[in-house]
Amino acid sequence: MGPGTTVRWRRRVSGWRRAGCAALIAGAVALPLSGAARPEIPAPPPAALAAPTAATLEKAYAANRANAAEASRMAADHGDRHRAAADRAMADRSRRLLAFDGRGAGLATEVFGDLARADRVAVLVPGSDTGLDTYGRFRATALALHRQLVAEAPAGTRTAVVAWLGYETPGTVSTTVATTDRADRAAPELRALVGDLRRITGPGTRLALLCHSYGSVVCARAADGLEVADIALVGSPGTGADTAAGLHSEARIWAGRGAEDWVEHVPHVSADLFGTTVGFGTDPVSPAFGARVFDAGDGGHSDYFDPGSRSLTNLARIALGETTEVTHA
């Protein structure tokens, strides 16, 4: 294959991606705006707990592990071995679950590090197709980030990562991924989490939100007045806001996109239809949006937290507040 053929092939693939993304937007307009039905997997209701504090963290972790163990037993009795195994892993004594709900696609909030004593806390907000059945890859992301924070933190700086699967994420191939509906419902829950973290850690702790893909829409919906130092939009299709200033946040707003990320080809349009917003508007890495654009390297949509990557290095620096060390695209 010669150079000219290679260029034409890349352009053709790029065109197919644009057409596919445009079709997704069109589908969101033409089809009912509802998520696909998920099979019902029996699970207990979440553990009834008071709002967490530093003093009650271990009690909360234990109660949520016990709930996950019961969810595993119920899933096994139902014949769903995959979910039973996922829940059983969550119930391991090493896990620090700030929240757990095994019903439906499942929700979980997991802590890495000593949250009560942390000086810097990074909250990971996932994108589409994240649930208990796929939680392993999200957890791997959190572990990679926590290792990077520990490696790069100045002497004496304590760090923690909170992996927040606190909302029902949309499916990548669905109408819900092209609207703000799930994000609008998730935003109050994310705001509540930040309030919990402030209560646990105290006012001197720096919080950063690292928001991947559709998770960046969630963070944007929650951003207004939120008490965090930094919000990083990673592989974002848009936020629903025209500009970073439109998020009404005092936090530093960052945006980064890998050179091979297909989300570049998502149409940056937005329209109010059928009582919801379809599409997410301005490209967050464009000058028009006005974010601080960081170097996210050459990776694709799922590569931002790969160990050794430029994107992971810069995201750790953002979370640590070492903003002058962040390299820019």
Side-chain angles (χ1 to χ4, degrees):
M1 184 180 289
T5 304
T6 301
V7 170
R8 288 194 297 273
W9 174 251
R10 287 176 176 170
R11 287 174 178 169
R12 185 176 299 174
V13 171
S14 177
W16 288 341
R17 286 172 173 166
R18 288 190 180 94
C21 293
L24 181 60
I25 296 291
V29 176
L31 298 173
L33 299 177
S34 61
R38 296 181 183 270
E40 289 296 327
I41 301 172
L49 299 169
T53 65
T56 63
L57 266 183
E58 293 301 328
K59 180 179 179 181
Y61 294 158
N64 287 312
R65 288 195 300 265
N67 190 270
E70 178 61 20
S72 178
R73 287 189 289 270
M74 293 176 71
D77 290 344
H78 185 65
D80 193 319
R81 290 182 295 177
H82 182 73
R83 175 59 68 83
D87 291 341
R88 187 166 56 252
M90 301 292 272
D92 188 89
R93 290 185 62 183
S94 65
R95 307 295 279 268
R96 294 169 171 156
L97 300 181
L98 194 58
F100 179 82
D101 185 349
R103 299 173 298 180
L107 305 174
T109 303
E110 186 169 7
V111 174
F112 302 84
D114 188 348
L115 182 60
R117 294 176 175 83
D119 304 301
R120 303 286 186 267
V121 177
V123 179
L124 286 180
V125 181
S128 60
D129 289 326
T130 308
L132 291 182
D133 292 327
T134 60
Y135 184 78
R137 66 191 185 195
F138 182 45
R139 187 171 193 267
T141 292
L143 283 167
L145 176 63
H146 188 238
R147 292 188 190 106
Q148 189 75 23
L149 291 178
V150 171
E152 293 208 12
T157 298
R158 295 162 295 193
T159 65
V161 170
V162 178
W164 182 73
L165 174 56
Y167 77 109
E168 184 181 359
T169 67
T172 298
V173 183
S174 72
T175 57
T176 53
V177 80
T179 77
T180 61
D181 284 1
R182 296 283 176 91
D184 289 335
R185 293 200 293 270
E189 303 303 324
L190 180 54
R191 294 181 67 85
L193 172 75
V194 171
D196 286 343
L197 297 180
R198 282 293 173 207
R199 185 186 317 106
I200 293 166
T201 62
T205 299
R206 172 188 292 272
L207 300 184
L209 301 184
L210 308 185
C211 319
H212 180 241
S213 194
Y214 189 87
S216 65
V217 187
V218 176
C219 289
R221 288 325 221 206
D224 191 349
L226 198 61
E227 194 179 352
V228 297
D230 295 273
I231 299 174
L233 311 173
V234 185
S236 173
T239 64
D242 293 331
T243 64
L247 300 181
H248 305 293
S249 173
E250 294 185 5
R252 284 181 288 262
I253 308 299
W254 303 82
R257 185 171 62 220
E260 296 298 322
D261 191 340
W262 57 261
V263 85
E264 174 186 0
H265 305 297
V266 170
H268 293 289
V269 297
S270 180
D272 292 327
L273 297 168
F274 306 118
T276 190
T277 302
V278 178
F280 308 115
T282 310
D283 185 349
V285 300
S286 69
F289 189 73
R292 301 171 184 229
V293 179
F294 65 90
D295 184 359
D298 298 326
H301 195 63
S302 301
D303 302 331
Y304 290 99
F305 295 88
D306 284 357
S309 65
R310 274 179 280 170
S311 54
L312 179 59
T313 298
N314 277 327
L315 287 167
R317 289 169 177 170
I318 290 169
L320 290 169
E322 297 178 347
T323 56
T324 59
E325 302 299 315
V326 175
T327 59
H328 297 271

